Amino acid sequence: MDDLDKKLNDVFTGYVVRKDLVKLVKGNAAVPSYVLEFLLGQNCATDDEERIEEGVERVRSILAKHYVQRAEAGAIRSDIKQSEYKRIIDKVSVSLNEKRDAYEATFENLGVSKVLVSADTVKKNRRLLVSGVWCIADLAYEPNEARDESPYILMKLKPIQMSRFDFEGYVERRSHFTEDEWIDVLIRSIGLDPSQLGRRAKLFQLTRLVTYCERNYNLVELGPKGTGKSHVFSEFSPHGILISGGEVTPAKLFVNNSTGKIGLVGYWDCVAFDEFAGKSKKPKADIVDIMKNYMANKSFSRGIEQVTAEASMAFVGNTSHDVSYMINKTDLLEGLPAVYHDPAFIDRLHAYIPGWEMDIIRGDMFCSDFGFIVDYLAEALRAMRPMDYSGEVDRFFELSPSISTRDRDGVVKTCAGLMKILFPGRDETAEEAAEIIEFALEVRKRVKDTLIRIDETFERVDFAYRPKGGGAWKQVATLEELDYPTTYHSLDKVPWEGSETAMEETMAGAFADDPVGPPRTSEVIADNKAQDGEAAQPADAPNSAADAVSASAVVSKKSEPKAGHLALRENQRGVSYEKLFGAYLDGAHDVEIIDPYVRTFHQCRNVMELLEVAMRHFKFDSTAINVHLTTAPDEYSDSKQEEYLQRIQESVAPLGLNFTWRIDRSGTLHARHLKIDDKWDILLDRGLDIWQRFDSNDAFSIEGRMPEMRRVKAFEITYMKVG
């Protein structure tokens, strides 16, 4: 157990479970994770290994005795007939039989129907009336001669979910965790290892949860196969339903005109459509029209009566092309069926998660640490659903007045949902709020930029914010805009303000200084702008959307090294050590690398790549060329740290480069620098470890051959001139 495991067990005693236990008990049972974790939470909510082992065996026994396998349904029906009663775990759905004036239950795996259910049971668990709920039920058998009556008698039924939730206690317990700790707890609770995900990837994962805590929230996520897009909607909560195939009838989704029975949107907090993309799909136009009205107004009509509902909608699917193709040839929603590739439908989407930024799910990405029992977190989100957190947007900041009503609604709803998830006690700081607002602006801007590509009737707006009461505007850009600065707007139907040449020049420019704290979009802030005669922009006007900077364009344009600051967003491309440090290494003879994390193979490989850049810029003359590394020791006994450093030294020595290193064992080495000839001190907040995971052993990997094609972690660099 690590420190977070211990803290989580101490603060949320009884509400956490070790996440790898689900795999241990699931076996061949096709049971959702929240069902298994409900059972594990009752039997294994402890950090005592012996009690956990006992609890796991108990849960296995419960599943073996009570879970209904379809293949064994006949034998179980016989057991019920021969015994007084039998307890089973099965998915139960209920319907009203008007002729009998009674509610009748159907047990899906058991293959039994028309079992009488009391009106009180249905009233307490109304979701039984739609698509079914996993339950623990006691069934008895009493033969009768009536043709339309079942001999099975339902003695007791309990949905597998928490019976009550203490929201005030939840908020108080949340206050014991920092924001970073809390995010990791939530990611663990979903079932993923937070150490395998970057900050941006974690926020994308949490945005999926907004559909459960925010009413009428509309989300789309398209991306490659295997990124876990549908996991949260199929396994996470008993309050959501995933529709496979992405198609459903108006009667099933909204209301059945013949019976007056309300559909899925009336009973579930979130209705998700899996495999939603696909141009060959031809959903009926009538459901699209009803859906557009519902997404905009929270109401629908399929007859004379107007009906309101609160279900959020999530649309997930696979892209058929990569991002480059969509940016340069079509648009980011080009994979949708034709009837959904409609500006009116797209405009009602509050957020677009770029699934292409999500890693393909690997075995090592699953969590084996403690996290919340899924049902506990699901109930926490449900408890916050009726609460209004929309005012949190205006506590510290104001949005650009040019943002349209629908754009603002999308930004506000995403912000409100993430605030509920991250800060249920409304105790966020201005810096924490800025990160969420900027993120919400980006995921809505992706929707708006797609609209501008397909419909000329939309107007451009400034996705910008600034501190409440005044100050400089902070413009927000999508990551695609930064990665493809010269082609991102090339297919827009809405005319760009200015010529294409002006657009390219602007896209290669830099943001104004950020008055709110550390910048989170890519920007370069030189401290000698005034000396260069650059005119300051008006503080009361948002920059154009084109002011979002491509870091690669800015860095590559450096003709002379300058003092300044550079910040890059997670998953951005276009960066290399050459672009970051090349100009500063010109003619250098003495370089010192201070980085406590040069321990593993890939970290030592980073040092080798930096030396390759340095050798292209060193002036090999009579003066010695020295590079010295100061790092911290690796804590693992089988470490090859010194072996790797020795191999680097031997590799570069014949070329005239003297590479040395010192391993600082004091435990006080934290800061990371690159010092060059007593002229430059370059502060590296991540050291040299700026790349996201890629296969460096694949000779045909483009990321291995071209650093500019790699995705980066979020990082900042400060260039300071000394001497």
Side-chain angles (χ1 to χ4, degrees), residues 588-619:
H589 285 89
D590 291 286
V591 176
E592 182 178 7
I593 306 168
I594 303 173
D595 186 344
Y597 292 96
V598 179
R599 308 176 182 183
T600 64
F601 172 79
H602 81 274
Q603 291 166 342
C604 293
R605 184 203 63 216
N606 290 338
V607 172
M608 189 66 194
E609 285 196 10
L610 178 63
L611 295 183
E612 292 173 10
V613 172
M615 291 179 69
R616 288 195 289 268
H617 290 270
F618 284 168
K619 185 177 181 182

PDB file of all heavy atoms in Angstrom, residues 588-619:
ATOM      1  N   ALA A 588      29.163  26.237 -27.464  1.00  0.00           N
ATOM      2  CA  ALA A 588      29.379  25.966 -26.038  1.00  0.00           C
ATOM      3  C   ALA A 588      30.502  24.955 -25.832  1.00  0.00           C
ATOM      4  O   ALA A 588      30.806  24.141 -26.706  1.00  0.00           O
ATOM      5  CB  ALA A 588      28.091  25.450 -25.412  1.00  0.00           C
ATOM      6  N   HIS A 589      31.126  25.020 -24.644  1.00  0.00           N
ATOM      7  CA  HIS A 589      32.187  24.075 -24.305  1.00  0.00           C
ATOM      8  C   HIS A 589      31.925  23.357 -22.982  1.00  0.00           C
ATOM      9  O   HIS A 589      32.449  22.263 -22.768  1.00  0.00           O
ATOM     10  CB  HIS A 589      33.547  24.789 -24.223  1.00  0.00           C
ATOM     11  CG  HIS A 589      34.113  25.127 -25.553  1.00  0.00           C
ATOM     12  ND1 HIS A 589      33.840  26.321 -26.190  1.00  0.00           N
ATOM     13  CD2 HIS A 589      34.924  24.430 -26.400  1.00  0.00           C
ATOM     14  CE1 HIS A 589      34.468  26.345 -27.356  1.00  0.00           C
ATOM     15  NE2 HIS A 589      35.132  25.208 -27.509  1.00  0.00           N
ATOM     16  N   ASP A 590      31.141  23.969 -22.105  1.00  0.00           N
ATOM     17  CA  ASP A 590      30.867  23.357 -20.804  1.00  0.00           C
ATOM     18  C   ASP A 590      29.358  23.363 -20.541  1.00  0.00           C
ATOM     19  O   ASP A 590      28.732  24.433 -20.495  1.00  0.00           O
ATOM     20  CB  ASP A 590      31.579  24.115 -19.679  1.00  0.00           C
ATOM     21  CG  ASP A 590      33.084  23.940 -19.748  1.00  0.00           C
ATOM     22  OD1 ASP A 590      33.549  22.846 -19.393  1.00  0.00           O
ATOM     23  OD2 ASP A 590      33.777  24.887 -20.180  1.00  0.00           O
ATOM     24  N   VAL A 591      28.823  22.176 -20.376  1.00  0.00           N
ATOM     25  CA  VAL A 591      27.385  22.029 -20.138  1.00  0.00           C
ATOM     26  C   VAL A 591      27.192  21.180 -18.891  1.00  0.00           C
ATOM     27  O   VAL A 591      27.852  20.139 -18.722  1.00  0.00           O
ATOM     28  CB  VAL A 591      26.684  21.361 -21.337  1.00  0.00           C
ATOM     29  CG1 VAL A 591      25.209  21.137 -21.036  1.00  0.00           C
ATOM     30  CG2 VAL A 591      26.869  22.202 -22.595  1.00  0.00           C
ATOM     31  N   GLU A 592      26.301  21.627 -18.010  1.00  0.00           N
ATOM     32  CA  GLU A 592      25.970  20.841 -16.818  1.00  0.00           C
ATOM     33  C   GLU A 592      24.479  20.524 -16.838  1.00  0.00           C
ATOM     34  O   GLU A 592      23.633  21.419 -16.972  1.00  0.00           O
ATOM     35  CB  GLU A 592      26.317  21.602 -15.537  1.00  0.00           C
ATOM     36  CG  GLU A 592      26.028  20.768 -14.283  1.00  0.00           C
ATOM     37  CD  GLU A 592      26.410  21.493 -13.006  1.00  0.00           C
ATOM     38  OE1 GLU A 592      26.768  22.690 -13.075  1.00  0.00           O
ATOM     39  OE2 GLU A 592      26.341  20.856 -11.933  1.00  0.00           O
ATOM     40  N   ILE A 593      24.164  19.238 -16.713  1.00  0.00           N
ATOM     41  CA  ILE A 593      22.778  18.779 -16.647  1.00  0.00           C
ATOM     42  C   ILE A 593      22.494  18.387 -15.204  1.00  0.00           C
ATOM     43  O   ILE A 593      23.182  17.531 -14.636  1.00  0.00           O
ATOM     44  CB  ILE A 593      22.549  17.557 -17.563  1.00  0.00           C
ATOM     45  CG1 ILE A 593      23.005  17.843 -18.993  1.00  0.00           C
ATOM     46  CG2 ILE A 593      21.085  17.133 -17.540  1.00  0.00           C
ATOM     47  CD1 ILE A 593      23.075  16.593 -19.865  1.00  0.00           C
ATOM     48  N   ILE A 594      21.508  19.012 -14.605  1.00  0.00           N
ATOM     49  CA  ILE A 594      21.100  18.665 -13.247  1.00  0.00           C
ATOM     50  C   ILE A 594      19.669  18.140 -13.334  1.00  0.00           C
ATOM     51  O   ILE A 594      18.728  18.893 -13.601  1.00  0.00           O
ATOM     52  CB  ILE A 594      21.171  19.884 -12.304  1.00  0.00           C
ATOM     53  CG1 ILE A 594      22.583  20.477 -12.309  1.00  0.00           C
ATOM     54  CG2 ILE A 594      20.742  19.489 -10.893  1.00  0.00           C
ATOM     55  CD1 ILE A 594      22.701  21.778 -11.545  1.00  0.00           C
ATOM     56  N   ASP A 595      19.521  16.842 -13.120  1.00  0.00           N
ATOM     57  CA  ASP A 595      18.218  16.206 -13.259  1.00  0.00           C
ATOM     58  C   ASP A 595      18.203  14.963 -12.372  1.00  0.00           C
ATOM     59  O   ASP A 595      18.897  13.994 -12.649  1.00  0.00           O
ATOM     60  CB  ASP A 595      17.975  15.815 -14.726  1.00  0.00           C
ATOM     61  CG  ASP A 595      16.561  15.280 -14.963  1.00  0.00           C
ATOM     62  OD1 ASP A 595      15.889  14.930 -13.980  1.00  0.00           O
ATOM     63  OD2 ASP A 595      16.145  15.215 -16.138  1.00  0.00           O
ATOM     64  N   PRO A 596      17.426  14.964 -11.277  1.00  0.00           N
ATOM     65  CA  PRO A 596      17.425  13.810 -10.369  1.00  0.00           C
ATOM     66  C   PRO A 596      16.826  12.542 -10.974  1.00  0.00           C
ATOM     67  O   PRO A 596      16.988  11.454 -10.428  1.00  0.00           O
ATOM     68  CB  PRO A 596      16.591  14.296  -9.178  1.00  0.00           C
ATOM     69  CG  PRO A 596      15.747  15.396  -9.729  1.00  0.00           C
ATOM     70  CD  PRO A 596      16.560  16.052 -10.796  1.00  0.00           C
ATOM     71  N   TYR A 597      16.137  12.685 -12.107  1.00  0.00           N
ATOM     72  CA  TYR A 597      15.487  11.514 -12.697  1.00  0.00           C
ATOM     73  C   TYR A 597      16.131  11.128 -14.027  1.00  0.00           C
ATOM     74  O   TYR A 597      15.529  11.215 -15.085  1.00  0.00           O
ATOM     75  CB  TYR A 597      13.989  11.773 -12.865  1.00  0.00           C
ATOM     76  CG  TYR A 597      13.275  11.862 -11.537  1.00  0.00           C
ATOM     77  CD1 TYR A 597      13.037  13.101 -10.947  1.00  0.00           C
ATOM     78  CD2 TYR A 597      12.890  10.709 -10.860  1.00  0.00           C
ATOM     79  CE1 TYR A 597      12.407  13.185  -9.717  1.00  0.00           C
ATOM     80  CE2 TYR A 597      12.260  10.782  -9.632  1.00  0.00           C
ATOM     81  CZ  TYR A 597      12.017  12.025  -9.065  1.00  0.00           C
ATOM     82  OH  TYR A 597      11.402  12.104  -7.837  1.00  0.00           O
ATOM     83  N   VAL A 598      17.366  10.713 -13.942  1.00  0.00           N
ATOM     84  CA  VAL A 598      18.027  10.054 -15.066  1.00  0.00           C
ATOM     85  C   VAL A 598      18.427   8.686 -14.532  1.00  0.00           C
ATOM     86  O   VAL A 598      19.545   8.476 -14.064  1.00  0.00           O
ATOM     87  CB  VAL A 598      19.252  10.847 -15.570  1.00  0.00           C
ATOM     88  CG1 VAL A 598      19.915  10.116 -16.731  1.00  0.00           C
ATOM     89  CG2 VAL A 598      18.831  12.250 -16.012  1.00  0.00           C
ATOM     90  N   ARG A 599      17.493   7.762 -14.582  1.00  0.00           N
ATOM     91  CA  ARG A 599      17.673   6.474 -13.913  1.00  0.00           C
ATOM     92  C   ARG A 599      17.344   5.302 -14.832  1.00  0.00           C
ATOM     93  O   ARG A 599      18.103   4.360 -14.937  1.00  0.00           O
ATOM     94  CB  ARG A 599      16.770   6.401 -12.679  1.00  0.00           C
ATOM     95  CG  ARG A 599      16.926   7.600 -11.745  1.00  0.00           C
ATOM     96  CD  ARG A 599      15.939   7.536 -10.601  1.00  0.00           C
ATOM     97  NE  ARG A 599      16.032   8.695  -9.722  1.00  0.00           N
ATOM     98  CZ  ARG A 599      15.320   8.850  -8.615  1.00  0.00           C
ATOM     99  NH1 ARG A 599      14.459   7.913  -8.244  1.00  0.00           N
ATOM    100  NH2 ARG A 599      15.456   9.935  -7.870  1.00  0.00           N
ATOM    101  N   THR A 600      16.198   5.377 -15.496  1.00  0.00           N
ATOM    102  CA  THR A 600      15.738   4.263 -16.318  1.00  0.00           C
ATOM    103  C   THR A 600      16.323   4.348 -17.721  1.00  0.00           C
ATOM    104  O   THR A 600      16.989   5.333 -18.084  1.00  0.00           O
ATOM    105  CB  THR A 600      14.207   4.265 -16.406  1.00  0.00           C
ATOM    106  OG1 THR A 600      13.784   5.453 -17.087  1.00  0.00           O
ATOM    107  CG2 THR A 600      13.586   4.238 -15.020  1.00  0.00           C
ATOM    108  N   PHE A 601      16.030   3.349 -18.514  1.00  0.00           N
ATOM    109  CA  PHE A 601      16.551   3.304 -19.875  1.00  0.00           C
ATOM    110  C   PHE A 601      16.114   4.517 -20.681  1.00  0.00           C
ATOM    111  O   PHE A 601      16.936   5.179 -21.332  1.00  0.00           O
ATOM    112  CB  PHE A 601      16.090   2.019 -20.568  1.00  0.00           C
ATOM    113  CG  PHE A 601      16.415   1.987 -22.041  1.00  0.00           C
ATOM    114  CD1 PHE A 601      17.696   1.683 -22.482  1.00  0.00           C
ATOM    115  CD2 PHE A 601      15.440   2.290 -22.990  1.00  0.00           C
ATOM    116  CE1 PHE A 601      17.999   1.672 -23.838  1.00  0.00           C
ATOM    117  CE2 PHE A 601      15.733   2.281 -24.345  1.00  0.00           C
ATOM    118  CZ  PHE A 601      17.016   1.964 -24.769  1.00  0.00           C
ATOM    119  N   HIS A 602      14.810   4.836 -20.655  1.00  0.00           N
ATOM    120  CA  HIS A 602      14.348   5.930 -21.512  1.00  0.00           C
ATOM    121  C   HIS A 602      14.872   7.280 -21.033  1.00  0.00           C
ATOM    122  O   HIS A 602      15.103   8.191 -21.836  1.00  0.00           O
ATOM    123  CB  HIS A 602      12.812   5.937 -21.601  1.00  0.00           C
ATOM    124  CG  HIS A 602      12.102   6.586 -20.454  1.00  0.00           C
ATOM    125  ND1 HIS A 602      11.775   5.909 -19.295  1.00  0.00           N
ATOM    126  CD2 HIS A 602      11.657   7.858 -20.280  1.00  0.00           C
ATOM    127  CE1 HIS A 602      11.154   6.727 -18.468  1.00  0.00           C
ATOM    128  NE2 HIS A 602      11.071   7.920 -19.037  1.00  0.00           N
ATOM    129  N   GLN A 603      15.120   7.427 -19.726  1.00  0.00           N
ATOM    130  CA  GLN A 603      15.667   8.687 -19.227  1.00  0.00           C
ATOM    131  C   GLN A 603      17.132   8.846 -19.622  1.00  0.00           C
ATOM    132  O   GLN A 603      17.576   9.951 -19.960  1.00  0.00           O
ATOM    133  CB  GLN A 603      15.497   8.746 -17.708  1.00  0.00           C
ATOM    134  CG  GLN A 603      14.031   8.881 -17.282  1.00  0.00           C
ATOM    135  CD  GLN A 603      13.818   8.610 -15.810  1.00  0.00           C
ATOM    136  OE1 GLN A 603      14.660   8.009 -15.138  1.00  0.00           O
ATOM    137  NE2 GLN A 603      12.674   9.042 -15.288  1.00  0.00           N
ATOM    138  N   CYS A 604      17.878   7.757 -19.606  1.00  0.00           N
ATOM    139  CA  CYS A 604      19.269   7.817 -20.072  1.00  0.00           C
ATOM    140  C   CYS A 604      19.315   8.025 -21.584  1.00  0.00           C
ATOM    141  O   CYS A 604      20.217   8.710 -22.098  1.00  0.00           O
ATOM    142  CB  CYS A 604      20.005   6.544 -19.675  1.00  0.00           C
ATOM    143  SG  CYS A 604      20.238   6.355 -17.885  1.00  0.00           S
ATOM    144  N   ARG A 605      18.357   7.462 -22.290  1.00  0.00           N
ATOM    145  CA  ARG A 605      18.283   7.683 -23.733  1.00  0.00           C
ATOM    146  C   ARG A 605      18.042   9.163 -24.039  1.00  0.00           C
ATOM    147  O   ARG A 605      18.567   9.714 -25.004  1.00  0.00           O
ATOM    148  CB  ARG A 605      17.150   6.834 -24.334  1.00  0.00           C
ATOM    149  CG  ARG A 605      17.028   6.912 -25.845  1.00  0.00           C
ATOM    150  CD  ARG A 605      15.618   6.549 -26.275  1.00  0.00           C
ATOM    151  NE  ARG A 605      14.648   7.488 -25.742  1.00  0.00           N
ATOM    152  CZ  ARG A 605      13.425   7.156 -25.326  1.00  0.00           C
ATOM    153  NH1 ARG A 605      13.040   5.902 -25.350  1.00  0.00           N
ATOM    154  NH2 ARG A 605      12.607   8.073 -24.862  1.00  0.00           N
ATOM    155  N   ASN A 606      17.263   9.832 -23.180  1.00  0.00           N
ATOM    156  CA  ASN A 606      17.035  11.264 -23.364  1.00  0.00           C
ATOM    157  C   ASN A 606      18.345  12.042 -23.282  1.00  0.00           C
ATOM    158  O   ASN A 606      18.577  12.991 -24.051  1.00  0.00           O
ATOM    159  CB  ASN A 606      16.061  11.789 -22.302  1.00  0.00           C
ATOM    160  CG  ASN A 606      14.646  11.288 -22.515  1.00  0.00           C
ATOM    161  OD1 ASN A 606      14.271  10.900 -23.616  1.00  0.00           O
ATOM    162  ND2 ASN A 606      13.857  11.292 -21.454  1.00  0.00           N
ATOM    163  N   VAL A 607      19.206  11.661 -22.334  1.00  0.00           N
ATOM    164  CA  VAL A 607      20.519  12.314 -22.212  1.00  0.00           C
ATOM    165  C   VAL A 607      21.314  12.111 -23.494  1.00  0.00           C
ATOM    166  O   VAL A 607      21.957  13.037 -24.009  1.00  0.00           O
ATOM    167  CB  VAL A 607      21.285  11.770 -20.998  1.00  0.00           C
ATOM    168  CG1 VAL A 607      22.720  12.296 -20.990  1.00  0.00           C
ATOM    169  CG2 VAL A 607      20.579  12.150 -19.703  1.00  0.00           C
ATOM    170  N   MET A 608      21.269  10.901 -24.039  1.00  0.00           N
ATOM    171  CA  MET A 608      21.994  10.612 -25.278  1.00  0.00           C
ATOM    172  C   MET A 608      21.479  11.479 -26.422  1.00  0.00           C
ATOM    173  O   MET A 608      22.262  12.004 -27.221  1.00  0.00           O
ATOM    174  CB  MET A 608      21.848   9.125 -25.625  1.00  0.00           C
ATOM    175  CG  MET A 608      22.731   8.677 -26.771  1.00  0.00           C
ATOM    176  SD  MET A 608      24.486   8.765 -26.322  1.00  0.00           S
ATOM    177  CE  MET A 608      25.255   8.597 -27.939  1.00  0.00           C
ATOM    178  N   GLU A 609      20.162  11.672 -26.493  1.00  0.00           N
ATOM    179  CA  GLU A 609      19.595  12.517 -27.554  1.00  0.00           C
ATOM    180  C   GLU A 609      20.041  13.964 -27.396  1.00  0.00           C
ATOM    181  O   GLU A 609      20.312  14.655 -28.381  1.00  0.00           O
ATOM    182  CB  GLU A 609      18.075  12.426 -27.549  1.00  0.00           C
ATOM    183  CG  GLU A 609      17.536  11.126 -28.113  1.00  0.00           C
ATOM    184  CD  GLU A 609      16.063  11.209 -28.462  1.00  0.00           C
ATOM    185  OE1 GLU A 609      15.503  12.324 -28.449  1.00  0.00           O
ATOM    186  OE2 GLU A 609      15.459  10.165 -28.748  1.00  0.00           O
ATOM    187  N   LEU A 610      20.121  14.439 -26.148  1.00  0.00           N
ATOM    188  CA  LEU A 610      20.593  15.803 -25.917  1.00  0.00           C
ATOM    189  C   LEU A 610      22.053  15.935 -26.340  1.00  0.00           C
ATOM    190  O   LEU A 610      22.448  16.954 -26.934  1.00  0.00           O
ATOM    191  CB  LEU A 610      20.426  16.179 -24.451  1.00  0.00           C
ATOM    192  CG  LEU A 610      20.928  17.581 -24.083  1.00  0.00           C
ATOM    193  CD1 LEU A 610      20.137  18.656 -24.830  1.00  0.00           C
ATOM    194  CD2 LEU A 610      20.838  17.813 -22.579  1.00  0.00           C
ATOM    195  N   LEU A 611      22.853  14.921 -26.069  1.00  0.00           N
ATOM    196  CA  LEU A 611      24.259  14.969 -26.475  1.00  0.00           C
ATOM    197  C   LEU A 611      24.391  14.989 -27.996  1.00  0.00           C
ATOM    198  O   LEU A 611      25.287  15.645 -28.540  1.00  0.00           O
ATOM    199  CB  LEU A 611      25.021  13.775 -25.899  1.00  0.00           C
ATOM    200  CG  LEU A 611      25.156  13.723 -24.365  1.00  0.00           C
ATOM    201  CD1 LEU A 611      26.000  12.529 -23.949  1.00  0.00           C
ATOM    202  CD2 LEU A 611      25.764  15.011 -23.826  1.00  0.00           C
ATOM    203  N   GLU A 612      23.518  14.291 -28.687  1.00  0.00           N
ATOM    204  CA  GLU A 612      23.535  14.323 -30.150  1.00  0.00           C
ATOM    205  C   GLU A 612      23.308  15.742 -30.656  1.00  0.00           C
ATOM    206  O   GLU A 612      23.982  16.211 -31.588  1.00  0.00           O
ATOM    207  CB  GLU A 612      22.464  13.391 -30.705  1.00  0.00           C
ATOM    208  CG  GLU A 612      22.734  11.912 -30.467  1.00  0.00           C
ATOM    209  CD  GLU A 612      21.554  11.050 -30.881  1.00  0.00           C
ATOM    210  OE1 GLU A 612      20.624  11.575 -31.521  1.00  0.00           O
ATOM    211  OE2 GLU A 612      21.554   9.846 -30.554  1.00  0.00           O
ATOM    212  N   VAL A 613      22.346  16.450 -30.029  1.00  0.00           N
ATOM    213  CA  VAL A 613      22.084  17.840 -30.405  1.00  0.00           C
ATOM    214  C   VAL A 613      23.296  18.704 -30.071  1.00  0.00           C
ATOM    215  O   VAL A 613      23.728  19.541 -30.874  1.00  0.00           O
ATOM    216  CB  VAL A 613      20.824  18.366 -29.673  1.00  0.00           C
ATOM    217  CG1 VAL A 613      20.651  19.865 -29.902  1.00  0.00           C
ATOM    218  CG2 VAL A 613      19.592  17.603 -30.137  1.00  0.00           C
ATOM    219  N   ALA A 614      23.848  18.499 -28.872  1.00  0.00           N
ATOM    220  CA  ALA A 614      24.985  19.309 -28.439  1.00  0.00           C
ATOM    221  C   ALA A 614      26.176  19.163 -29.385  1.00  0.00           C
ATOM    222  O   ALA A 614      26.861  20.147 -29.713  1.00  0.00           O
ATOM    223  CB  ALA A 614      25.388  18.915 -27.021  1.00  0.00           C
ATOM    224  N   MET A 615      26.402  17.940 -29.857  1.00  0.00           N
ATOM    225  CA  MET A 615      27.558  17.707 -30.727  1.00  0.00           C
ATOM    226  C   MET A 615      27.414  18.418 -32.069  1.00  0.00           C
ATOM    227  O   MET A 615      28.413  18.758 -32.710  1.00  0.00           O
ATOM    228  CB  MET A 615      27.762  16.210 -30.931  1.00  0.00           C
ATOM    229  CG  MET A 615      28.226  15.504 -29.646  1.00  0.00           C
ATOM    230  SD  MET A 615      28.435  13.730 -29.841  1.00  0.00           S
ATOM    231  CE  MET A 615      29.860  13.709 -30.909  1.00  0.00           C
ATOM    232  N   ARG A 616      26.179  18.667 -32.479  1.00  0.00           N
ATOM    233  CA  ARG A 616      25.972  19.403 -33.731  1.00  0.00           C
ATOM    234  C   ARG A 616      26.261  20.892 -33.558  1.00  0.00           C
ATOM    235  O   ARG A 616      26.413  21.616 -34.538  1.00  0.00           O
ATOM    236  CB  ARG A 616      24.549  19.190 -34.240  1.00  0.00           C
ATOM    237  CG  ARG A 616      24.303  17.797 -34.790  1.00  0.00           C
ATOM    238  CD  ARG A 616      23.031  17.741 -35.608  1.00  0.00           C
ATOM    239  NE  ARG A 616      21.840  17.848 -34.782  1.00  0.00           N
ATOM    240  CZ  ARG A 616      21.181  16.800 -34.275  1.00  0.00           C
ATOM    241  NH1 ARG A 616      21.635  15.566 -34.508  1.00  0.00           N
ATOM    242  NH2 ARG A 616      20.112  16.967 -33.543  1.00  0.00           N
ATOM    243  N   HIS A 617      26.313  21.353 -32.307  1.00  0.00           N
ATOM    244  CA  HIS A 617      26.481  22.787 -32.055  1.00  0.00           C
ATOM    245  C   HIS A 617      27.810  23.119 -31.378  1.00  0.00           C
ATOM    246  O   HIS A 617      28.190  24.286 -31.325  1.00  0.00           O
ATOM    247  CB  HIS A 617      25.317  23.298 -31.191  1.00  0.00           C
ATOM    248  CG  HIS A 617      23.999  23.328 -31.908  1.00  0.00           C
ATOM    249  ND1 HIS A 617      23.556  24.423 -32.612  1.00  0.00           N
ATOM    250  CD2 HIS A 617      23.055  22.368 -32.056  1.00  0.00           C
ATOM    251  CE1 HIS A 617      22.375  24.151 -33.141  1.00  0.00           C
ATOM    252  NE2 HIS A 617      22.048  22.916 -32.829  1.00  0.00           N
ATOM    253  N   PHE A 618      28.501  22.121 -30.828  1.00  0.00           N
ATOM    254  CA  PHE A 618      29.785  22.378 -30.182  1.00  0.00           C
ATOM    255  C   PHE A 618      30.821  22.814 -31.220  1.00  0.00           C
ATOM    256  O   PHE A 618      30.786  22.404 -32.376  1.00  0.00           O
ATOM    257  CB  PHE A 618      30.302  21.122 -29.483  1.00  0.00           C
ATOM    258  CG  PHE A 618      29.609  20.818 -28.188  1.00  0.00           C
ATOM    259  CD1 PHE A 618      29.786  19.583 -27.572  1.00  0.00           C
ATOM    260  CD2 PHE A 618      28.780  21.742 -27.572  1.00  0.00           C
ATOM    261  CE1 PHE A 618      29.166  19.285 -26.379  1.00  0.00           C
ATOM    262  CE2 PHE A 618      28.146  21.456 -26.388  1.00  0.00           C
ATOM    263  CZ  PHE A 618      28.337  20.226 -25.786  1.00  0.00           C
ATOM    264  N   LYS A 619      31.740  23.636 -30.756  1.00  0.00           N
ATOM    265  CA  LYS A 619      32.861  24.053 -31.595  1.00  0.00           C
ATOM    266  C   LYS A 619      34.068  23.223 -31.174  1.00  0.00           C
ATOM    267  O   LYS A 619      34.708  23.483 -30.153  1.00  0.00           O
ATOM    268  CB  LYS A 619      33.142  25.549 -31.414  1.00  0.00           C
ATOM    269  CG  LYS A 619      34.214  26.079 -32.348  1.00  0.00           C
ATOM    270  CD  LYS A 619      34.377  27.581 -32.147  1.00  0.00           C
ATOM    271  CE  LYS A 619      35.433  28.139 -33.082  1.00  0.00           C
ATOM    272  NZ  LYS A 619      35.634  29.607 -32.871  1.00  0.00           N
TER     273      LYS A 619
END
